[in-house]
């Protein structure tokens, strides 16, 4: 399982967010450039549609493929009362022939993206990962060098943390508490429930950049 929240931030405030995250985490950022393929099942695989994502980080010295399947979100009264989405996720490493394998099974390519940006990974009540991502589309199949931005002025911010059935409440609390530190710059909520740009972002960004924000908080 994982806990996840998302938000958006304007490009001109990304540097300030990076300064804040550096101070909060005390770890260096990691650059990524992920080629993502979204595959959907064909009719031969049953009436219930299935979707998997194949991910390859081109920024790594030796790029390798990962299969990622995102399952359903936790439901019920308890799930509705928390501001963090709790969902099942399965990931597995794969060989370079993984795309051909899924084509053979009957999956079809739905779309592909090049996601570039940076991430901070650290422990703060839970093992938290914050990614800041620019999504890019390709005009030709697999032409990652020709990718152009889908939303040129905006980047996606996502916070995730692994969880289990016996500790997800603690993880939700840790993620919720961490989101409060970022609140002046962006609003984070369950995926699909974005509330747009935060009115205080410009002032908060200016304050962070003028102070430097380099100290670990």
């Amino acid at each position: 399982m994982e806990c996840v929240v998302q938000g958006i931030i304007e490009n001109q405030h990304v540097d300030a967010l990076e300064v804040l995250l550096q101070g909060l985490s005390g770890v260096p950022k990691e650059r990524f450039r992920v080629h993502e393929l979204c595959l959907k099942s064909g009719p031969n695989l049953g009436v219930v549609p299935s979707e998997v994502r194949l991910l390859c980080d081109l920024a790594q010295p030796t790029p390798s493929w990962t299969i990622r399947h995102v399952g359903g979100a936790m439901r019920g009264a308890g799930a509705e009362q928390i501001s963090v989405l709790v969902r099942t996720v399965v990931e597995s490493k794969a060989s370079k022939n993984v795309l051909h394998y899924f084509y053979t099974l009957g999956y079809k390519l739905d779309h592909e993206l090049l996601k570039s940006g940076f991430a901070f990974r650290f422990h703060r009540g839970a093992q938290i990962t914050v990614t800041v991502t620019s999504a890019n589309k390709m005009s030709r199949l697999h032409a990652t060098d020709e990718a152009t931005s889908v939303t040129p002025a905006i980047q996606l911010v996502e916070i995730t943390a692994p969880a289990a059935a016996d500790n997800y409440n603690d993880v939700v609390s840790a993620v919720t508490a961490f989101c409060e530190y970022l609140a002046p710059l962006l609003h984070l909520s369950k995926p699909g429930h974005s509330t747009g740009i935060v009115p205080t972002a410009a002032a908060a960004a200016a304050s962070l950049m003028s102070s430097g924000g380099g100290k670990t908080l």
Side-chain angles (χ1 to χ4, degrees):
M1 300 169 68
E2 76 173 6
C3 298
V4 56
V5 289
Q6 293 179 346
I8 56 175
I9 189 168
E10 293 177 293
N11 282 353
Q12 65 261 36
H13 301 147
V14 169
D15 287 345
L17 176 60
E18 182 182 335
V19 167
L20 179 58
L21 289 172
Q22 178 71 65
L24 290 169
S25 68
V27 299
K29 70 179 180 182
E30 303 172 20
R31 288 281 184 186
F32 62 83
R33 188 167 174 264
V34 174
H35 185 195
E36 177 180 291
L37 306 174
C38 178
L39 306 178
K40 293 191 175 180
S41 59
N44 62 309
L45 293 173
V47 295
V48 179
S50 173
E51 179 181 297
V52 296
R53 294 177 185 269
L54 308 182
L55 313 172
C56 183
D57 189 351
L58 304 177
Q60 295 299 317
T62 307
S64 61
W65 287 96
T66 298
I67 305 168
R68 178 175 171 86
H69 176 263
V70 178
M74 188 176 72
R75 299 181 181 276
E80 296 297 325
Q81 293 170 6
I82 59 177
S83 59
V84 176
L85 184 72
V86 182
R87 64 189 182 188
T88 58
V89 173
V90 178
E91 287 190 353
S92 177
K93 292 294 185 182
S95 72
K96 62 182 180 180
N97 298 319
V98 63
L99 182 58
H100 176 71
Y101 171 76
F102 275 98
Y103 281 164
T104 302
L105 289 178
Y107 281 80
K108 297 184 183 299
L109 179 64
D110 184 70
H111 65 270
E112 63 177 338
L113 293 170
L114 180 68
K115 294 183 173 181
S116 58
F118 60 88
F120 286 89
R121 307 177 198 276
F122 53 93
H123 193 277
R124 197 181 181 100
Q127 190 60 43
I128 292 174
T129 299
V130 184
T131 57
V132 182
T133 305
S134 173
N136 305 274
K137 61 183 178 180
M138 275 77 80
S139 57
R140 294 185 299 110
L141 192 65
H142 308 334
T144 54
D145 291 335
E146 301 173 15
T148 56
S149 179
V150 176
T151 54
I154 293 173
Q155 297 196 33
L156 174 70
V157 180
E158 184 175 79
I159 299 180
T160 58
D166 60 349
N167 78 338
Y168 74 85
N169 279 319
D170 294 335
V171 177
V172 166
S173 297
V175 171
T176 302
F178 184 76
C179 288
E180 292 297 319
Y181 290 106
L182 309 186
L185 277 177
L186 74 159
H187 178 71
L188 293 149
S189 56
K190 295 178 181 179
H193 294 78
S194 175
T195 56
I197 304 298
V198 174
T200 57
S207 176
L208 280 164
M209 297 307 288
S210 63
S211 65
K215 296 180 180 179
T216 302
L217 302 178

